[in-house]
Amino acid sequence: MAEESNFNQKVKNYIESQGGWFIKYWAGSKYTKEGIPDILACIHGRFYGIEDKASDGRPRLLQLVNLKKIRAAGGIGILLYPKDFPDFKALVDESEAGFKWYRENIKAQHEWFDKLVK
């Protein structure tokens, strides 16, 4: 849990360094909705839903469904692992490498979805 918490802070620090806005979302109480990404952010005018995980973390099905809904609404829904942090920064910078990584990230989310549905 410490790895995910430390990584979450790193992501939030980066968003702030870019002049972005974010909210850290905690689910699980009777007043919050389950499956919402860990970080909801607006960076350079784009909406991001970021589900961050520790290196060995597994997404839940509802998390993947909500990331897909964010993409369907025109936002950017990301399943983010520490190894992918440089790629995430490239996406925020709107580099071609960042867009390529994002397409691969969506594909990986679909693969997780298929595993969890079976």
Side-chain angles (χ1 to χ4, degrees):
M1 193 65 148
E3 180 188 7
E4 186 172 324
S5 180
N6 291 338
F7 181 51
N8 186 275
Q9 188 60 50
K10 184 176 182 176
V11 173
K12 292 186 300 188
N13 290 343
Y14 174 72
I15 293 168
E16 285 182 332
S17 78
Q18 295 298 300
W21 172 92
F22 71 87
I23 184 169
K24 167 68 174 129
Y25 192 84
W26 284 277
S29 78
K30 70 178 189 175
Y31 300 109
T32 60
K33 191 173 179 181
E34 290 289 324
I36 302 298
D38 294 314
I39 299 173
L40 302 175
C42 185
I43 313 167
H44 307 305
R46 293 189 315 249
F47 179 83
Y48 289 79
I50 305 165
E51 181 61 44
D52 57 23
K53 296 290 180 191
S55 299
D56 59 351
R58 297 174 51 102
R60 290 181 291 122
L61 185 59
L62 187 54
Q63 292 170 330
L64 296 170
V65 167
N66 283 319
L67 291 175
K68 184 177 181 178
K69 287 180 179 180
I70 288 168
R71 290 192 302 277
I76 299 169
I78 299 172
L79 180 59
L80 187 60
Y81 290 92
K83 69 177 181 59
D84 297 321
F85 188 64
D87 297 308
F88 167 68
K89 293 193 317 187
L91 176 65
V92 170
D93 288 340
E94 297 185 358
S95 77
E96 186 55 42
F99 292 129
K100 181 179 182 219
W101 169 77
Y102 183 51
R103 289 187 296 272
E104 292 169 2
N105 187 271
I106 293 168
K107 187 176 170 183
Q109 289 179 47
H110 289 295
E111 290 169 2
W112 270 112
F113 185 89
D114 290 345
K115 286 180 194 176
L116 294 170
V117 169
K118 291 180 182 178

PDB file of all heavy atoms in Angstrom, residues 71 100-114:
ATOM      1  N   ARG A  71     -13.572   7.838 -21.121  1.00  0.00           N
ATOM      2  CA  ARG A  71     -13.141   7.956 -22.522  1.00  0.00           C
ATOM      3  C   ARG A  71     -14.326   8.199 -23.443  1.00  0.00           C
ATOM      4  O   ARG A  71     -14.251   9.014 -24.362  1.00  0.00           O
ATOM      5  CB  ARG A  71     -12.359   6.710 -22.945  1.00  0.00           C
ATOM      6  CG  ARG A  71     -10.996   6.597 -22.293  1.00  0.00           C
ATOM      7  CD  ARG A  71     -10.131   5.534 -22.945  1.00  0.00           C
ATOM      8  NE  ARG A  71     -10.729   4.213 -22.916  1.00  0.00           N
ATOM      9  CZ  ARG A  71     -10.665   3.375 -21.895  1.00  0.00           C
ATOM     10  NH1 ARG A  71     -10.017   3.722 -20.786  1.00  0.00           N
ATOM     11  NH2 ARG A  71     -11.222   2.184 -21.959  1.00  0.00           N
ATOM     12  N   LYS A 100       0.893   7.301 -28.345  1.00  0.00           N
ATOM     13  CA  LYS A 100       1.089   5.876 -28.639  1.00  0.00           C
ATOM     14  C   LYS A 100       0.944   5.063 -27.352  1.00  0.00           C
ATOM     15  O   LYS A 100       0.271   4.029 -27.328  1.00  0.00           O
ATOM     16  CB  LYS A 100       2.465   5.648 -29.263  1.00  0.00           C
ATOM     17  CG  LYS A 100       2.725   4.202 -29.602  1.00  0.00           C
ATOM     18  CD  LYS A 100       4.088   4.002 -30.232  1.00  0.00           C
ATOM     19  CE  LYS A 100       4.256   2.549 -30.575  1.00  0.00           C
ATOM     20  NZ  LYS A 100       5.574   2.053 -30.333  1.00  0.00           N
ATOM     21  N   TRP A 101       1.577   5.528 -26.282  1.00  0.00           N
ATOM     22  CA  TRP A 101       1.452   4.825 -25.001  1.00  0.00           C
ATOM     23  C   TRP A 101       0.000   4.769 -24.558  1.00  0.00           C
ATOM     24  O   TRP A 101      -0.471   3.735 -24.075  1.00  0.00           O
ATOM     25  CB  TRP A 101       2.299   5.514 -23.921  1.00  0.00           C
ATOM     26  CG  TRP A 101       1.981   4.990 -22.562  1.00  0.00           C
ATOM     27  CD1 TRP A 101       2.388   3.806 -22.019  1.00  0.00           C
ATOM     28  CD2 TRP A 101       1.115   5.590 -21.593  1.00  0.00           C
ATOM     29  NE1 TRP A 101       1.850   3.647 -20.762  1.00  0.00           N
ATOM     30  CE2 TRP A 101       1.058   4.732 -20.488  1.00  0.00           C
ATOM     31  CE3 TRP A 101       0.390   6.783 -21.556  1.00  0.00           C
ATOM     32  CZ2 TRP A 101       0.307   5.019 -19.349  1.00  0.00           C
ATOM     33  CZ3 TRP A 101      -0.355   7.070 -20.428  1.00  0.00           C
ATOM     34  CH2 TRP A 101      -0.392   6.197 -19.337  1.00  0.00           C
ATOM     35  N   TYR A 102      -0.742   5.851 -24.721  1.00  0.00           N
ATOM     36  CA  TYR A 102      -2.139   5.875 -24.290  1.00  0.00           C
ATOM     37  C   TYR A 102      -2.964   4.846 -25.056  1.00  0.00           C
ATOM     38  O   TYR A 102      -3.796   4.148 -24.478  1.00  0.00           O
ATOM     39  CB  TYR A 102      -2.715   7.285 -24.454  1.00  0.00           C
ATOM     40  CG  TYR A 102      -4.137   7.415 -23.971  1.00  0.00           C
ATOM     41  CD1 TYR A 102      -4.513   6.981 -22.702  1.00  0.00           C
ATOM     42  CD2 TYR A 102      -5.113   7.960 -24.791  1.00  0.00           C
ATOM     43  CE1 TYR A 102      -5.825   7.101 -22.256  1.00  0.00           C
ATOM     44  CE2 TYR A 102      -6.423   8.090 -24.354  1.00  0.00           C
ATOM     45  CZ  TYR A 102      -6.773   7.647 -23.083  1.00  0.00           C
ATOM     46  OH  TYR A 102      -8.074   7.760 -22.661  1.00  0.00           O
ATOM     47  N   ARG A 103      -2.724   4.721 -26.341  1.00  0.00           N
ATOM     48  CA  ARG A 103      -3.434   3.685 -27.118  1.00  0.00           C
ATOM     49  C   ARG A 103      -3.099   2.292 -26.577  1.00  0.00           C
ATOM     50  O   ARG A 103      -3.976   1.434 -26.460  1.00  0.00           O
ATOM     51  CB  ARG A 103      -3.090   3.799 -28.606  1.00  0.00           C
ATOM     52  CG  ARG A 103      -3.710   5.029 -29.265  1.00  0.00           C
ATOM     53  CD  ARG A 103      -3.510   5.039 -30.772  1.00  0.00           C
ATOM     54  NE  ARG A 103      -2.125   5.119 -31.189  1.00  0.00           N
ATOM     55  CZ  ARG A 103      -1.448   6.255 -31.368  1.00  0.00           C
ATOM     56  NH1 ARG A 103      -2.028   7.425 -31.154  1.00  0.00           N
ATOM     57  NH2 ARG A 103      -0.190   6.229 -31.766  1.00  0.00           N
ATOM     58  N   GLU A 104      -1.840   2.056 -26.218  1.00  0.00           N
ATOM     59  CA  GLU A 104      -1.435   0.777 -25.627  1.00  0.00           C
ATOM     60  C   GLU A 104      -2.068   0.589 -24.248  1.00  0.00           C
ATOM     61  O   GLU A 104      -2.449  -0.522 -23.874  1.00  0.00           O
ATOM     62  CB  GLU A 104       0.091   0.707 -25.530  1.00  0.00           C
ATOM     63  CG  GLU A 104       0.778   0.635 -26.888  1.00  0.00           C
ATOM     64  CD  GLU A 104       2.284   0.839 -26.793  1.00  0.00           C
ATOM     65  OE1 GLU A 104       2.825   1.000 -25.680  1.00  0.00           O
ATOM     66  OE2 GLU A 104       2.917   0.870 -27.867  1.00  0.00           O
ATOM     67  N   ASN A 105      -2.198   1.680 -23.492  1.00  0.00           N
ATOM     68  CA  ASN A 105      -2.812   1.623 -22.168  1.00  0.00           C
ATOM     69  C   ASN A 105      -4.272   1.214 -22.281  1.00  0.00           C
ATOM     70  O   ASN A 105      -4.754   0.392 -21.496  1.00  0.00           O
ATOM     71  CB  ASN A 105      -2.664   2.990 -21.478  1.00  0.00           C
ATOM     72  CG  ASN A 105      -3.117   2.974 -20.038  1.00  0.00           C
ATOM     73  OD1 ASN A 105      -4.284   3.214 -19.766  1.00  0.00           O
ATOM     74  ND2 ASN A 105      -2.206   2.705 -19.128  1.00  0.00           N
ATOM     75  N   ILE A 106      -4.965   1.752 -23.263  1.00  0.00           N
ATOM     76  CA  ILE A 106      -6.371   1.381 -23.477  1.00  0.00           C
ATOM     77  C   ILE A 106      -6.462  -0.101 -23.844  1.00  0.00           C
ATOM     78  O   ILE A 106      -7.323  -0.828 -23.338  1.00  0.00           O
ATOM     79  CB  ILE A 106      -7.013   2.267 -24.563  1.00  0.00           C
ATOM     80  CG1 ILE A 106      -7.115   3.704 -24.074  1.00  0.00           C
ATOM     81  CG2 ILE A 106      -8.382   1.727 -24.965  1.00  0.00           C
ATOM     82  CD1 ILE A 106      -7.471   4.702 -25.149  1.00  0.00           C
ATOM     83  N   LYS A 107      -5.568  -0.550 -24.688  1.00  0.00           N
ATOM     84  CA  LYS A 107      -5.546  -1.964 -25.072  1.00  0.00           C
ATOM     85  C   LYS A 107      -5.310  -2.844 -23.836  1.00  0.00           C
ATOM     86  O   LYS A 107      -5.980  -3.864 -23.653  1.00  0.00           O
ATOM     87  CB  LYS A 107      -4.444  -2.183 -26.110  1.00  0.00           C
ATOM     88  CG  LYS A 107      -4.409  -3.545 -26.711  1.00  0.00           C
ATOM     89  CD  LYS A 107      -3.338  -3.572 -27.792  1.00  0.00           C
ATOM     90  CE  LYS A 107      -3.056  -4.938 -28.290  1.00  0.00           C
ATOM     91  NZ  LYS A 107      -1.980  -4.970 -29.288  1.00  0.00           N
ATOM     92  N   ALA A 108      -4.403  -2.450 -22.967  1.00  0.00           N
ATOM     93  CA  ALA A 108      -4.128  -3.212 -21.738  1.00  0.00           C
ATOM     94  C   ALA A 108      -5.354  -3.222 -20.822  1.00  0.00           C
ATOM     95  O   ALA A 108      -5.645  -4.234 -20.180  1.00  0.00           O
ATOM     96  CB  ALA A 108      -2.920  -2.627 -21.009  1.00  0.00           C
ATOM     97  N   GLN A 109      -6.088  -2.111 -20.790  1.00  0.00           N
ATOM     98  CA  GLN A 109      -7.307  -2.071 -19.990  1.00  0.00           C
ATOM     99  C   GLN A 109      -8.334  -3.074 -20.519  1.00  0.00           C
ATOM    100  O   GLN A 109      -9.001  -3.756 -19.743  1.00  0.00           O
ATOM    101  CB  GLN A 109      -7.916  -0.662 -20.000  1.00  0.00           C
ATOM    102  CG  GLN A 109      -7.108   0.344 -19.210  1.00  0.00           C
ATOM    103  CD  GLN A 109      -7.722   1.716 -19.259  1.00  0.00           C
ATOM    104  OE1 GLN A 109      -8.927   1.872 -19.054  1.00  0.00           O
ATOM    105  NE2 GLN A 109      -6.909   2.734 -19.525  1.00  0.00           N
ATOM    106  N   HIS A 110      -8.433  -3.170 -21.845  1.00  0.00           N
ATOM    107  CA  HIS A 110      -9.346  -4.151 -22.440  1.00  0.00           C
ATOM    108  C   HIS A 110      -8.928  -5.576 -22.080  1.00  0.00           C
ATOM    109  O   HIS A 110      -9.777  -6.432 -21.810  1.00  0.00           O
ATOM    110  CB  HIS A 110      -9.404  -3.994 -23.964  1.00  0.00           C
ATOM    111  CG  HIS A 110     -10.108  -2.763 -24.424  1.00  0.00           C
ATOM    112  ND1 HIS A 110     -11.448  -2.533 -24.210  1.00  0.00           N
ATOM    113  CD2 HIS A 110      -9.648  -1.680 -25.090  1.00  0.00           C
ATOM    114  CE1 HIS A 110     -11.782  -1.364 -24.724  1.00  0.00           C
ATOM    115  NE2 HIS A 110     -10.710  -0.820 -25.256  1.00  0.00           N
ATOM    116  N   GLU A 111      -7.617  -5.829 -22.061  1.00  0.00           N
ATOM    117  CA  GLU A 111      -7.124  -7.160 -21.693  1.00  0.00           C
ATOM    118  C   GLU A 111      -7.460  -7.474 -20.242  1.00  0.00           C
ATOM    119  O   GLU A 111      -7.877  -8.590 -19.926  1.00  0.00           O
ATOM    120  CB  GLU A 111      -5.616  -7.241 -21.945  1.00  0.00           C
ATOM    121  CG  GLU A 111      -5.274  -7.238 -23.422  1.00  0.00           C
ATOM    122  CD  GLU A 111      -3.802  -7.051 -23.699  1.00  0.00           C
ATOM    123  OE1 GLU A 111      -2.988  -6.951 -22.738  1.00  0.00           O
ATOM    124  OE2 GLU A 111      -3.447  -6.980 -24.888  1.00  0.00           O
ATOM    125  N   TRP A 112      -7.283  -6.502 -19.337  1.00  0.00           N
ATOM    126  CA  TRP A 112      -7.669  -6.692 -17.941  1.00  0.00           C
ATOM    127  C   TRP A 112      -9.162  -6.977 -17.849  1.00  0.00           C
ATOM    128  O   TRP A 112      -9.600  -7.857 -17.109  1.00  0.00           O
ATOM    129  CB  TRP A 112      -7.340  -5.458 -17.095  1.00  0.00           C
ATOM    130  CG  TRP A 112      -5.989  -5.460 -16.474  1.00  0.00           C
ATOM    131  CD1 TRP A 112      -4.945  -4.647 -16.770  1.00  0.00           C
ATOM    132  CD2 TRP A 112      -5.527  -6.327 -15.444  1.00  0.00           C
ATOM    133  NE1 TRP A 112      -3.862  -4.941 -15.983  1.00  0.00           N
ATOM    134  CE2 TRP A 112      -4.194  -5.970 -15.150  1.00  0.00           C
ATOM    135  CE3 TRP A 112      -6.105  -7.369 -14.723  1.00  0.00           C
ATOM    136  CZ2 TRP A 112      -3.435  -6.611 -14.180  1.00  0.00           C
ATOM    137  CZ3 TRP A 112      -5.349  -8.009 -13.750  1.00  0.00           C
ATOM    138  CH2 TRP A 112      -4.041  -7.622 -13.487  1.00  0.00           C
ATOM    139  N   PHE A 113      -9.955  -6.203 -18.589  1.00  0.00           N
ATOM    140  CA  PHE A 113     -11.407  -6.368 -18.577  1.00  0.00           C
ATOM    141  C   PHE A 113     -11.784  -7.789 -18.943  1.00  0.00           C
ATOM    142  O   PHE A 113     -12.581  -8.442 -18.268  1.00  0.00           O
ATOM    143  CB  PHE A 113     -12.049  -5.360 -19.536  1.00  0.00           C
ATOM    144  CG  PHE A 113     -13.550  -5.373 -19.510  1.00  0.00           C
ATOM    145  CD1 PHE A 113     -14.245  -4.577 -18.618  1.00  0.00           C
ATOM    146  CD2 PHE A 113     -14.274  -6.175 -20.364  1.00  0.00           C
ATOM    147  CE1 PHE A 113     -15.629  -4.585 -18.575  1.00  0.00           C
ATOM    148  CE2 PHE A 113     -15.658  -6.203 -20.340  1.00  0.00           C
ATOM    149  CZ  PHE A 113     -16.330  -5.389 -19.439  1.00  0.00           C
ATOM    150  N   ASP A 114     -11.178  -8.283 -20.027  1.00  0.00           N
ATOM    151  CA  ASP A 114     -11.487  -9.657 -20.491  1.00  0.00           C
ATOM    152  C   ASP A 114     -11.115 -10.687 -19.431  1.00  0.00           C
ATOM    153  O   ASP A 114     -11.843 -11.646 -19.209  1.00  0.00           O
ATOM    154  CB  ASP A 114     -10.746  -9.950 -21.798  1.00  0.00           C
ATOM    155  CG  ASP A 114     -11.296  -9.161 -22.975  1.00  0.00           C
ATOM    156  OD1 ASP A 114     -12.422  -8.609 -22.875  1.00  0.00           O
ATOM    157  OD2 ASP A 114     -10.588  -9.067 -24.004  1.00  0.00           O
TER     158      ASP A 114
END
